[in-house]
Amino acid sequence: MTHLTGKNRLFGVFATCFGSIFLVSGCTTEPPKPDTVTIAMLAEPPDLNATKATDSESFFILGHVMEGLTRAGSDGKPSPAVAESWEITDAGATFTLRSNAQWSDGKPVTAHDFVYAWRTVVDPKNASEYAFILFPIKNAEKIVSKKAPVDSLGVLALDARTLKVTFEKPCGYFLSLTSFATYFPVREDFHQLHGERYGAEANTLLYNGPFRLTQWVHGASLKLEKNPTYWNASIVKLNAIQIPYITPDLSAQLNLYKDGKIDLVSLGKNTLKTAMQERFKMKKYSDGTVFYLEFNFAEGRITRNKNLRKSIQYVLDGEEFVGRVISIPGTLVGTSVIPTWIAGKNGLFREDYPIQSVKPNLALAKHHLAEAMKELGLKTPPTLVWLTGDSPGASKEAEYFQNLLSSKLGITLKIDKQIFKQRLAKMSAGEFDVVSAGWGPDYNDPMTFADLKTSWNENNRGRWKNAQYDELIRKAQSTTKNTVRMDSMAAAEKILLEELPILPLYERSVIYTQSDWLANVGRRAVGFDPDLTTATTRDETAKN
Amino acid sequence: MKTDALTRSDFVPATRTGSAHQISRPSLSYWQDAWVRLKNNRQALASLFIVGALFLFTVLGPYIWTQSPARQSLAEISQPPTLGLRALVVDGAQTIAPKAVLSASLETLAAPHTRGVALQWKPIEGAQGYALYRNEVEPSERLDFGLPLAELKGAAQLTYQDRLNLEPKTYFYTVVPVSQGEEIGSRAVTLEVDVQLALQENEAQSYVAEAKIGEEIRLPAHPFGTDYLGRDMLARIIAGARVSLSIGFFAPIIYIFLGVLIGGLAGYLGGRVDMVLMRLTDLVIALPFLLFMILFRIAFGVGPGESGIIPMVVALVALSWTSSARLVRGQILQLRESEYVQAARLLGAKTGYLLLRHLVPNTIGVILVYLTFAIPSTIFTEAFLSFIGMGVVPPTPSWGSLSDDGIKTFLTYPHEFIVPAVFISITVLAFNLLGDGLRDALDPKMRGRE
Amino acid sequence: MFKYALKQIAAGIVTVFFIATATFTAMHAVPGDPLSKGKAIAPEVRKNLEAKYGLDQPVTKQYTMFLTNMVKGDFGISFTQANRSVNDIIREHFPISAILGLFAIAVAAAGGILWGSLTALYRNKWPDKLIMLAVIFGVSVPSFVVAALMQLGVTALNKHFGLQLFAVAGWGGLTHAVLPAVALGLSTMSFLTRLMRSSMLEVVNADYIRTAKAKGVSSTGIFFSHQLRNAILPVITVLGPAIAAITTGGFVVESVFAIPGLGRYFVQAVQQLDYTVIMGLTVFYGAYLVAMVILVDIVYGLIDPRIKVGKASG
């Protein structure tokens, strides 16, 4: 063999290493720091007060350093965590806590810690924005609106290890809620001690999860280390998770990954090509989010006209939109607001209740538009206000629809691009005809999507109201019988798809790549992501 | 020649030839003089030509380069510069039937083109499902198969149609058998596929009216390539020039006019008016410029269908008039005390005469130079704000917003960033050099100084 | 001198109040709702939040509260990071921006003086022409372009040589600061180079230089003890505005390089419509810039014997 030049030699070494993984652990050119994973975050968690957290960054950290009654697996199914067993009825639930669950200062996690935490969440003084997720618990909603005292919340510590929950009405998906961050325990004395500063720094938070936050330099870096007091510490293989970079820029993150500075990176549409040229191994997963267009039903809005909405539905070629505009592999053409991945009766909800996808049909679109114009008394195709956010993807999507609607139907779109908060304000105030929006799941049940358009849901920004649909969702919400629940939700979904208050666009998929020696990283739709709890490293191979 | 004696003729008065008193070089006015100086400055002259060319580019551009900046061609997303690609006209609705017998372990079912690549493969032993990948480089021993296109559950499905953002190039498709949830990379099958650019019939007919399925047509040229929605970059640059240059041109004119008004008033009237106006100027000048540009931008808000140009110009005017006000006030103060103005006043000149005859002509040069430097800095500000998403709103293109869009794809499609960035740089460069030249030309005292 | 400084500081305080008022007015004209989040909040929760941030008070009351707290040095609590006070945010992020700014200023000043002197020494020869050409590019290429190109270049370089010469992004040691400081300081450096060149050229023909030459002082001696010293003065006057330009210029560079400085924080706060942070940071920046200008003024007065600031009419 002759001398290999730079790149080839590297490749040669690499190929040899790869081949030897399965044989022996030889070939140790510069091994990575064992048992440490380094990642970058898109943003800094605002704070780590679980009773108030609302964003995915906080959920990611909290999910690693804290633990609730149950813990969601990668499939979204809850498994025992602080609670070792439970019993759920229509009236309520009783959880038995394990004896060896303890806080990072060595004291045991007790039922009282949950009672205290949940009361804090619903306490109006706390103004927790995720308080609604506790509403299945008796009196929670009343307490938030100051109609009942805080201690009337339907949760009791029968003894240190028994937690009794009373429901407002039967709740079929309560168990999957208990792994959610808002349900995490908080220890009273510690919370009182730090007051407003609770969860603001690494040392003003008590930990009961697989990791502990040992360092938090605001805006710059975080470090998680294995928590030796965690009851199930043996499943944790990593010693530390380093987060030395915080940047929302995926190109910058890719640069860091190329530079060998981080071990895991999500790939945006614009970095896929680079990833191919760099020969990264790519994987994909669904982050569970569904994107759709929401139409405004406020008095006087032309989007109240069903024919107009239908014409937009028929002019849209979902496959072209997903392939050319979104262009992330694995993205699914949206068919409904309830995504394909969510579980139903036995298997997937979508397998139990299949729906026909709507094929684009220009003639039908034109027909519906003509009908709409007749009904609305319009001589020319209408003008619509299209509210959208300031992300690059959002502009692209808006420009695509602007061109599509004007070239095919003659409908003019006025794009209203707003920064996040202003868009939300306009959505709440109903200042739009069409808004492009997305919805991610809070818990592992179709209900997290199905109740989106109920008349009482604050997130129903288009203010669509349908008595029959409301009725069906109410029915599903007040029973624990799975068949009845799923059937009602499917029936409600049918109304939704017929009346078209929203037009499904796509189900998001995320492409990512990670260092070759990193394995068992959980990626999922419900709960925190990525899940590095049980991640393992192999130090046999060199980092790329 | 030598003469010995004086003769009578020596005492005849010389005839007035006039030449001695005549000014040998043509009398030059201030502007003519400036023009001569400018002409001798090669750099400045070149930049003047560039500025002129940019002006023509902006004004006449849309009439010469008639492609619409709004026209999207989803077949040609983010294509590098071309002189017109050849595209196949295909039937979009065509369904492709699987073959009964395959000659290879992985095959394409129909001619592969950018509207879709249909694949079929022979069953791989032990597979309980398949994973499909697509790459732009040939997979190596590393098992780097590229983009994970899909996972097919069950061993029954042996076909797949890829419609994900296909470009006219060579791809490597890989089918990996999946068994018990694990992908068996070692038994993967890879196929090299040359994909041809294709358009659907109705799309093609918008370029060539009589295009038929199966024919090839030539698409329009894109000298600067296309953007993320397949729009022609040259047309976008021209449209962007209209926005960037008009902001860069009109905003300074307005705020300098305002500044001249305020500075002139302060300088001419003096006393209390001067004090109040200059105090205000001091305060406004102290506002952190960029922060307030952003604050104003979100305070004004941009409504649906608006371009965001007006709020930006208003914010620019509100924050930028101060320097020119100070400059003009200084000039006026200086001129007011100068001997010739004093003399004119003593001779009974009226205010209007003084203003028109002395004060304005003597400040206009300074103002013009200031304007020339204000234009590039305004273009910069616009680019800066649009770059951080606080500028114009899509679909309105500006060079700044084009750069902002471009930088996101910089690693993959560098032309989308480089083209607008170069235009910004050249324009700013030209105005800066022109400004230098004008200053030297208009104010000889300032020559060679900064 | 002392009186002059006092007067300047008094004027500075008035200016800061003006900035505060302007910021408050602008912020309250902003449409939108700082309390809104991705998921809608129940009206009851909203009421509780409004009470917490004093948004339920009349505007005049909010204004006086804002001013009184500002005088006390308290800018309130962030809307998006409910546990952090704006003061904490400034304390944690400003040093990073300041260090970066300092680096950039150092790069700009050192480069400007060096290149400017060189061009003046080699007037109209090729080094002069080359440097001036570079200067013109330095002024004409936007900092975000420079930043993006450098990032790309360094990634390629690191990869090609397998070295970690400079960090591509993030914040940590010296290697992290080099690229952003250059990107940030480049245009100021170009500006200072031009300034230095012309002021050097002006000095070259001054009488005292001729006298020194006649006395037989060596040319290096002349260069260092006369030319440079006198030519550097105008550079100091523009340092005030230069610091301002570099401080705000940090916005984009910090974003591109993912540096957790105050500039990037400000841009994020604007996108989040975080009232308290936006107002606090704007006032802080304003006060900082005002202070810098005053400081430069005073320093200049101390250095340049020709200017006796205390006795000047102003």
Side-chain angles (χ1 to χ4, degrees):
Chain A
M1 194 162 104
T2 51
H3 292 288
L4 289 165
T5 51
K7 240 184 182 162
N8 288 336
R9 182 171 1 169
L10 264 177
F11 181 70
V13 169
F14 200 87
T16 333
C17 285
F18 197 81
S20 64
I21 293 173
F22 308 105
L23 303 171
V24 280
S25 59
C27 195
T28 46
T29 59
E30 204 208 323
K33 267 176 253 151
D35 311 336
T36 298
V37 170
T38 311
I39 60 168
M41 278 177 94
L42 293 170
E44 182 182 10
D47 60 52
L48 291 173
N49 183 346
T51 64
K52 289 191 192 178
T54 56
D55 62 304
S56 54
E57 282 74 29
S58 304
F59 291 154
F60 165 72
I61 301 285
L62 283 168
H64 284 91
V65 299
M66 307 270 289
E67 192 169 61
L69 293 168
T70 62
R71 169 171 280 277
S74 285
D75 56 354
K77 295 251 160 59
S79 58
V82 174
E84 60 184 8
S85 64
W86 51 79
E87 194 187 334
I88 296 184
T89 64
D90 274 6
T94 310
F95 293 89
T96 307
L97 275 51
R98 69 179 69 249
S99 56
N100 57 345
Q102 48 185 302
W103 293 102
S104 43
D105 63 357
K107 291 188 185 162
V109 179
T110 65
H112 178 76
D113 299 334
F114 285 93
V115 175
Y116 179 77
W118 297 1
R119 282 182 181 171
T120 311
V121 172
V122 292
D123 190 339
K125 282 204 295 282
N126 202 33
S128 170
E129 290 156 51
Y130 252 92
F132 74 89
I133 206 156
L134 266 72
F135 285 2
I137 303 173
K138 193 169 175 60
N139 286 339
E141 197 164 359
K142 286 192 197 122
I143 297 167
V144 170
S145 51
K146 296 185 186 167
K147 284 182 198 127
V150 175
D151 53 14
S152 67
L153 185 70
V155 57
L156 266 179
L158 294 183
D159 59 55
R161 287 180 51 205
T162 315
L163 185 73
K164 187 169 184 300
V165 183
T166 318
F167 292 156
E168 185 73 43
K169 53 191 175 190
C171 179
Y173 51 91
F174 186 75
L175 195 63
S176 80
L177 293 179
T178 55
S179 61
F180 196 76
T182 317
Y183 279 84
F184 285 173
V186 174
R187 205 168 76 204
E188 184 168 6
D189 59 334
F190 195 83
H191 185 255
Q192 299 282 0
L193 179 68
H194 291 285
E196 277 291 307
R197 304 293 301 158
Y198 176 78
E201 308 290 340
N203 58 9
T204 60
L205 187 63
L206 263 190
Y207 308 98
N208 74 327
F211 293 89
R212 280 192 297 189
L213 185 64
T214 52
Q215 193 190 54
W216 184 2
V217 183
H218 285 287
S221 67
L222 297 101
K223 186 179 181 188
L224 308 180
E225 281 179 86
K226 184 174 176 170
N227 181 2
T229 63
Y230 180 52
W231 66 271
N232 202 6
S234 64
I235 63 158
V236 182
K237 303 286 184 256
L238 293 182
N239 272 329
I241 302 169
Q242 300 261 24
I243 309 164
Y245 306 99
I246 297 171
T247 171
D249 182 358
L250 286 184
S251 301
Q253 287 206 8
L254 182 70
N255 281 337
L256 289 168
Y257 181 80
K258 271 163 77 179
D259 229 15
K261 293 279 172 29
I262 55 175
D263 298 320
L264 179 67
V265 68
S266 289
L267 299 166
K269 170 184 184 283
N270 300 321
T271 47
L272 287 177
K273 248 186 191 328
T274 317
M276 277 189 273
Q277 265 132 29
E278 298 283 335
R279 296 185 171 277
F280 295 151
K281 287 186 168 186
M282 287 177 250
K283 299 183 177 200
K284 72 175 180 349
Y285 78 104
S286 161
D287 78 343
T289 315
V290 173
F291 289 83
Y292 49 85
L293 302 179
E294 188 158 5
F295 296 102
N296 197 349
F297 281 77
E299 209 52 59
R301 293 278 170 180
I302 49 172
T303 35
R304 289 172 68 100
N305 185 293
K306 188 170 157 185
N307 273 314
L308 181 62
R309 302 195 298 274
K310 285 263 174 209
S311 82
I312 295 176
Q313 181 181 35
Y314 280 116
V315 81
L316 172 67
D317 181 348
E319 264 193 68
E320 179 185 74
F321 175 70
V322 163
R324 288 287 176 184
V325 180
I326 306 298
S327 30
I328 297 282
T331 309
L332 299 176
V333 176
T335 48
S336 166
V337 72
I338 299 178
T340 50
W341 55 267
I342 211 155
K345 274 186 289 200
N346 306 310
L348 295 175
F349 183 83
R350 188 55 63 230
E351 284 166 0
D352 296 340
Y353 307 97
I355 41 175
Q356 275 289 303
S357 63
V358 178
K359 291 265 173 285
N361 187 330
L362 189 57
L364 259 180
K366 282 183 173 157
H367 165 75
H368 280 294
L369 179 64
E371 289 293 308
M373 282 163 63
K374 214 184 292 168
E375 286 162 12
L376 293 164
L378 295 173
K379 295 251 162 17
T380 52
T383 298
L384 297 175
V385 174
W386 179 286
L387 183 61
T388 187
D390 61 349
S391 72
S395 299
K396 189 177 170 186
E397 187 184 297
E399 287 175 275
Y400 170 77
F401 274 100
Q402 189 178 46
N403 184 61
L404 179 78
L405 294 186
S406 82
S407 66
K408 299 254 161 97
L409 296 176
I411 295 175
T412 312
L413 271 198
K414 280 188 172 175
I415 296 176
D416 190 6
K417 177 181 162 182
Q418 298 292 345
I419 60 170
F420 186 59
K421 292 277 162 105
Q422 285 175 336
R423 180 172 71 99
L424 291 176
K426 286 195 154 190
M427 275 168 82
S428 303
E431 291 171 19
F432 63 92
D433 289 319
V434 188
V435 61
S436 119
W439 189 258
D442 287 325
Y443 46 90
N444 190 24
D445 189 88
M447 186 53 79
T448 191
F449 291 98
D451 73 344
L452 204 52
K453 294 302 283 183
T454 53
S455 56
W456 60 85
N457 193 328
E458 296 286 335
N459 291 299
N460 176 4
R461 318 274 184 167
R463 299 274 170 269
W464 177 70
K465 201 173 163 151
N466 183 302
Q468 214 186 339
Y469 169 85
D470 280 1
E471 185 56 44
L472 283 163
I473 296 297
R474 243 186 248 282
K475 191 171 153 198
Q477 280 180 338
S478 43
T479 175
T480 47
K481 287 196 195 73
N482 226 9
T483 328
V484 179
R485 287 177 50 228
M486 297 298 164
D487 283 350
S488 316
M489 282 191 276
E493 181 187 37
K494 219 170 191 158
I495 298 173
L496 215 58
L497 293 176
E498 171 54 29
E499 288 300 317
L500 227 57
I502 56 162
L503 176 59
L505 290 181
Y506 63 97
E507 288 178 30
R508 182 155 69 185
S509 151
V510 179
I511 304 289
Y512 67 100
T513 182
Q514 63 191 36
S515 296
D516 282 326
W517 47 269
L518 183 59
N520 296 322
V521 177
R523 306 305 307 248
R524 58 187 170 194
V526 185
F528 60 99
D529 171 80
D531 183 355
L532 295 163
T533 311
T534 54
T536 51
T537 59
R538 296 184 299 239
D539 55 3
E540 297 96 311
T541 45
K543 256 166 139 179
N544 182 16
Chain B
M1 196 180 356
K2 194 181 167 197
T3 51
D4 291 319
L6 297 168
T7 63
R8 234 187 122 71
S9 61
D10 290 332
F11 296 94
V12 174
T15 49
R16 278 175 188 260
T17 57
S19 60
H21 288 277
Q22 210 158 30
I23 296 160
S24 60
R25 285 158 73 184
S27 155
L28 291 175
S29 73
Y30 177 62
W31 295 109
Q32 283 167 327
D33 179 51
W35 174 238
V36 170
R37 288 170 195 278
L38 193 67
K39 262 203 309 201
N40 290 333
N41 184 337
R42 265 189 307 165
Q43 267 184 359
L45 203 63
S47 8
L48 190 64
F49 278 118
I50 295 178
V51 168
L54 275 169
F55 182 71
L56 285 180
F57 177 75
T58 312
V59 175
L60 299 181
Y63 301 101
I64 295 164
W65 191 254
T66 49
Q67 287 192 44
S68 157
R71 158 134 209 182
Q72 298 174 5
S73 167
L74 296 183
E76 297 174 275
I77 285 176
S78 295
Q79 285 299 306
T82 63
L83 290 170
L85 295 168
R86 298 192 70 79
L88 188 70
V89 185
V90 296
D91 179 3
Q94 188 194 4
T95 48
I96 301 158
K99 287 183 195 168
V101 184
L102 287 182
S103 52
S105 50
L106 176 60
E107 281 184 36
T108 50
L109 281 179
H113 53 69
T114 55
R115 294 285 310 175
V117 174
L119 298 166
Q120 188 179 353
W121 56 92
K122 286 183 184 164
I124 299 174
E125 208 187 301
Q128 293 165 336
Y130 297 96
L132 277 114
Y133 289 86
R134 185 181 89 194
N135 210 343
E136 293 181 7
V137 290
E138 190 167 5
S140 66
E141 297 93 318
R142 271 200 71 193
L143 309 180
D144 41 3
F145 299 132
L147 300 180
L149 292 176
E151 280 120 37
L152 308 178
K153 287 196 183 113
Q157 196 179 345
L158 297 170
T159 54
Y160 179 76
Q161 190 174 19
D162 175 26
R163 285 192 63 185
L164 181 87
N165 207 20
L166 289 155
E167 293 179 64
K169 56 160 53 177
T170 305
Y171 287 110
F172 297 88
Y173 282 93
T174 307
V175 176
V176 186
V178 180
S179 175
Q180 284 156 0
E182 290 286 322
E183 293 182 11
I184 309 163
S186 58
R187 292 169 61 194
V189 192
T190 299
L191 178 69
E192 189 176 339
V193 177
D194 287 322
V195 174
Q196 195 190 358
L197 186 62
L199 290 183
Q200 244 178 313
E201 196 179 5
N202 55 359
E203 259 179 293
Q205 280 164 353
S206 64
Y207 293 108
V208 180
E210 61 275 15
K212 287 192 188 61
I213 292 172
E215 287 178 354
E216 268 201 357
I217 59 164
R218 184 171 282 279
L219 295 177
H222 302 296
F224 291 157
T226 57
D227 78 348
Y228 56 90
L229 281 170
R231 293 173 291 197
D232 180 58
M233 277 299 280
L234 176 54
R236 304 268 296 157
I237 288 285
I238 295 171
R242 296 193 144 198
V243 174
S244 288
L245 292 183
S246 48
I247 292 177
F249 205 72
F250 289 112
I253 286 186
I254 299 171
Y255 72 66
I256 288 175
F257 181 77
L258 188 70
V260 168
L261 213 66
I262 292 173
L265 267 178
Y268 192 78
L269 297 174
R272 184 157 296 195
V273 180
D274 182 30
M275 210 192 73
V276 172
L277 287 178
M278 282 305 111
R279 227 22 239 149
L280 182 69
T281 314
D282 287 346
L283 290 178
V284 175
I285 238 171
L287 296 178
F289 176 68
L290 211 60
L291 271 73
F292 268 81
M293 282 301 293
I294 296 172
L295 278 190
F296 277 178
R297 168 60 167 61
I298 53 169
F300 284 134
V302 178
E306 290 171 10
S307 62
I309 296 175
I310 306 279
M312 194 186 283
V313 172
V314 172
L316 274 167
V317 169
L319 291 172
S320 309
W321 55 270
T322 49
S323 313
S324 50
R326 273 188 175 179
L327 188 78
V328 168
R329 175 180 171 269
Q331 285 281 315
I332 297 277
L333 279 183
Q334 202 186 342
L335 289 171
R336 207 177 58 172
E337 303 307 320
S338 66
E339 286 82 359
Y340 65 93
V341 175
Q342 300 271 18
R345 192 177 288 147
L346 279 177
L347 289 170
K350 297 226 166 51
T351 307
Y353 177 83
L354 277 179
L355 271 176
L356 283 178
R357 187 71 202 158
H358 293 298
L359 299 184
V360 172
N362 280 302
T363 43
I364 198 125
V366 183
I367 294 168
L368 196 65
V369 171
Y370 183 76
L371 176 68
T372 325
F373 284 116
I375 291 171
S377 85
T378 310
I379 291 176
F380 249 19
T381 307
E382 186 279 324
F384 219 65
L385 288 172
S386 293
F387 185 75
I388 56 173
M390 290 285 148
V392 297
V393 177
T396 310
S398 82
W399 288 348
S401 69
L402 289 175
S403 316
D404 183 29
D405 295 334
I407 197 155
K408 286 160 195 134
T409 55
F410 183 45
L411 291 176
T412 353
Y413 309 109
H415 70 273
E416 286 177 49
F417 176 67
I418 288 171
V419 172
V422 163
F423 268 87
I424 295 173
S425 303
I426 289 181
T427 310
V428 171
L429 181 71
F431 274 105
N432 275 331
L433 289 178
L434 182 66
D436 280 349
L438 265 186
R439 181 174 48 198
D440 289 352
L442 290 175
D443 192 355
K445 277 180 297 182
M446 296 286 287
R447 292 182 92 172
R449 291 171 63 180
E450 281 300 321
Chain C
M1 184 67 211
F2 184 65
K3 214 174 133 195
Y4 173 78
L6 270 187
K7 210 171 159 183
Q8 288 288 86
I9 290 166
I13 289 171
V14 174
T15 316
V16 171
F17 267 91
F18 175 74
I19 294 173
T21 310
T23 316
F24 185 86
T25 319
M27 275 323 292
H28 282 260
V30 168
D33 175 5
L35 293 177
S36 48
K37 286 270 166 83
K39 313 227 162 174
I41 27 177
E44 301 82 32
V45 177
R46 156 172 299 277
K47 249 183 243 149
N48 298 331
L49 281 173
E50 277 176 357
K52 179 174 171 181
Y53 288 102
L55 289 178
D56 51 350
Q57 306 284 338
V59 177
T60 46
K61 180 86 191 293
Q62 287 186 43
Y63 177 63
T64 45
M65 266 166 60
F66 171 61
L67 284 190
T68 12
N69 286 335
M70 192 185 88
V71 172
K72 288 187 217 150
D74 173 14
F75 290 120
I77 319 167
S78 157
F79 275 80
T80 40
Q81 303 207 322
N83 270 333
R84 289 176 77 195
S85 69
V86 179
N87 293 18
D88 280 345
I89 292 169
I90 294 174
R91 209 176 5 255
E92 279 156 19
H93 297 274
F94 180 65
I96 298 174
S97 291
I99 290 171
L100 179 62
L102 215 64
F103 252 79
I105 284 278
V107 168
I113 291 168
L114 177 71
W115 300 125
S117 312
L118 275 179
T119 51
L121 281 181
Y122 293 95
R123 195 184 178 185
N124 290 337
K125 296 199 186 99
W126 67 264
D128 177 26
K129 290 190 173 155
L130 195 72
I131 292 169
M132 289 318 282
L133 193 73
V135 159
I136 284 170
F137 281 108
V139 177
S140 309
V141 181
S143 60
F144 56 81
V145 179
V146 177
L149 292 178
M150 284 204 317
Q151 218 177 20
L152 189 75
V154 167
T155 315
L157 216 79
N158 280 353
K159 196 166 174 60
H160 192 261
F161 293 108
L163 294 171
Q164 301 291 325
L165 281 180
F166 303 111
V168 176
W171 188 249
L174 189 68
T175 54
H176 289 86
V178 175
L179 294 189
V182 172
L184 192 51
L186 196 67
S187 75
T188 308
M189 177 160 82
S190 311
F191 175 69
L192 291 182
T193 307
R194 283 162 68 134
L195 190 65
M196 190 67 196
R197 178 178 188 264
S198 57
S199 84
M200 280 290 273
L201 289 179
E202 207 168 299
V203 177
V204 158
N205 300 323
D207 293 339
Y208 56 84
I209 300 279
R210 212 173 306 144
T211 313
K213 263 186 202 157
K215 284 195 331 198
V217 181
S218 72
S219 57
T220 38
I222 290 177
F223 180 78
F224 283 108
S225 57
H226 294 287
Q227 252 173 292
L228 200 59
R229 248 180 97 182
N230 284 293
I232 239 165
L233 282 171
V235 173
I236 293 169
T237 38
V238 299
L239 273 185
I243 290 172
I246 280 185
T247 315
T248 44
F251 284 30
V252 166
V253 173
E254 283 176 14
S255 294
V256 174
F257 285 102
I259 293 169
L262 207 53
R264 187 168 81 129
Y265 210 95
F266 180 80
V267 175
Q268 281 170 6
V270 166
Q271 263 141 14
Q272 292 293 318
L273 221 59
D274 195 334
Y275 273 24
T276 39
V277 175
I278 297 174
M279 293 200 289
L281 294 194
T282 314
V283 173
F284 174 77
Y285 264 123
Y288 169 71
L289 295 182
V290 167
M292 282 298 145
V293 170
I294 294 174
L295 199 70
V296 168
D297 247 19
I298 294 171
V299 167
Y300 191 68
L302 291 176
I303 294 178
D304 190 351
R306 283 175 298 187
I307 295 184
K308 287 273 174 276
V309 275
K311 292 186 183 106
S313 62

